[in-house]
Amino acid sequence: MSLPRLPHVVLALVPTGASRADDREALLTAVASAHGVDRSRLRAGRVCGHCGGTDHGRPWVEVDGCAVGVGLARTTGVVALVVSPEPVGVDVERVSRVAAAPLDVFTQGERDRAGGDVRALAACWAAKEAVLKRDGRGLRVDPAAVDVDVRRGTAVFEGVEHPVTLRFPDADLVVAVAAGGLPVEAAPDGLCAVDGLSAVDGLSAGA
């Protein structure tokens, strides 16, 4: 029996777990909830796209033997989880951490469009990571190779324009999802709360 296709990407924000293993468990809970299945029907692991190792790398999940697009990203106090019918990349960043870091990864176009707005630059950084995670190569690629337009919700990489969904749950938090233009919706109540904030509160760009 084939797995019914999700009509959209499911995005959840949850508090950081006590360990990275706890965060991966939260991802499995999000997958089971999104598909309406019991956790016993899931298989999961990790694999490195560079060396093939299974003790590190990006997560993978199957439901009844069918591959599901998943992603996980962390920042201080928050884990972003995504479940998708297609390959997906996600990143979550604290605006204050991006502002404090001497990042030399922004294109001139990004700097010009941001006009000194650190939230826009943080969104650019998150979008770069999301696109490169979806690509599979991650930060083995120079992030400056990705040019993000926050207002349009797009990122140009290797000559191709990629839709990116951006969410600003609060003034110090930005989430980016790269899923080929699929719509992004918040997880059901009980999975998406961080300090009372929904994953889709605040300003947004993209689908």
Side-chain angles (χ1 to χ4, degrees), residues 89-141:
V90 64
D91 191 46
V92 58
E93 299 289 345
R94 290 285 182 189
V95 174
S96 54
R97 293 188 66 184
V98 174
L103 295 176
D104 187 23
V105 298
F106 301 112
T107 68
Q108 189 59 52
E110 289 167 341
R111 292 185 183 278
D112 290 345
R113 288 188 291 270
D117 182 353
V118 69
R119 291 185 80 199
L121 290 177
C124 286
W125 174 244
K128 290 170 185 282
E129 284 226 50
V131 168
L132 293 176
K133 286 178 180 179
R134 185 173 189 259
D135 171 77
R137 287 174 284 177
L139 292 180
R140 293 195 302 277
V141 174

Side-chain angles (χ1 to χ4, degrees), residues 29-193:
T29 297
V31 172
S33 174
H35 285 280
V37 301
D38 188 82
R39 282 272 302 265
S40 64
R41 293 168 60 180
L42 275 56
R43 290 181 62 249
R46 290 184 292 170
V47 64
C48 175
H50 181 57
C51 71
T54 57
D55 61 343
H56 62 285
R58 66 186 301 165
W60 61 266
V61 180
E62 293 180 351
V63 180
D64 295 336
C66 298
V68 175
V70 294
L72 181 156
R74 304 173 180 88
T75 192
T76 306
V78 180
V79 179
L81 312 169
V82 286
V83 185
S84 170
E86 301 288 346
V88 64
V90 64
D91 191 46
V92 58
E93 299 289 345
R94 290 285 182 189
V95 174
S96 54
R97 293 188 66 184
V98 174
L103 295 176
D104 187 23
V105 298
F106 301 112
T107 68
Q108 189 59 52
E110 289 167 341
R111 292 185 183 278
D112 290 345
R113 288 188 291 270
D117 182 353
V118 69
R119 291 185 80 199
L121 290 177
C124 286
W125 174 244
K128 290 170 185 282
E129 284 226 50
V131 168
L132 293 176
K133 286 178 180 179
R134 185 173 189 259
D135 171 77
R137 287 174 284 177
L139 292 180
R140 293 195 302 277
V141 174
D142 181 358
V146 183
D147 185 67
V148 178
D149 188 323
V150 172
R151 289 294 180 186
R152 294 184 61 232
T154 60
V156 177
F157 175 49
E158 295 184 336
V160 178
E161 186 174 273
H162 300 266
V164 180
T165 297
L166 297 166
R167 296 288 185 261
F168 297 82
D170 66 32
D172 192 43
L173 200 65
V174 57
V175 184
V177 179
L182 289 170
V184 177
E185 296 192 8
D189 290 344
L191 267 181
C192 64

Side-chain angles (χ1 to χ4, degrees), residues 13-18 23 26 77-79 191 193-195:
L13 297 182
V14 299
T16 305
D23 295 340
V78 180
V79 179
L191 267 181
V194 176
D195 295 333

